[in-house]
Amino acid sequence: MYRIVLLNGRYEDYTRYLDATQLVARWPVLRKMLSRGVRSAWEDRFTQLRPTAAA
């Protein structure tokens, strides 16, 4: 569900369906399923999603 919302959602969907804690926890797997553009957009906006932020 997170992948679908990340790829096709709108702001209202993000705030309704995504939980920040869950998104961060699942990001290492989710990022592999997303295109580079989508992945970069989310990681640029939320620095805690960047691979170096978790290390």
Side-chain angles (χ1 to χ4, degrees):
M1 188 265 313
Y2 271 56
R3 181 177 173 269
I4 293 168
V5 173
L6 291 169
L7 290 172
N8 302 309
R10 296 177 295 178
Y11 178 79
E12 297 82 19
D13 301 320
Y14 304 147
T15 58
R16 181 174 181 179
Y17 297 110
L18 302 180
D19 174 75
T21 303
Q22 293 296 321
L23 181 61
V24 171
R26 287 166 171 57
W27 189 252
V29 173
L30 284 167
R31 74 184 311 273
K32 295 175 186 176
M33 294 186 257
L34 302 171
S35 68
R36 183 177 296 178
V38 173
R39 189 171 58 234
S40 294
W42 280 88
E43 290 175 351
D44 288 348
R45 175 63 176 88
F46 300 99
T47 57
Q48 64 271 35
L49 296 177
R50 292 180 186 163
T52 55

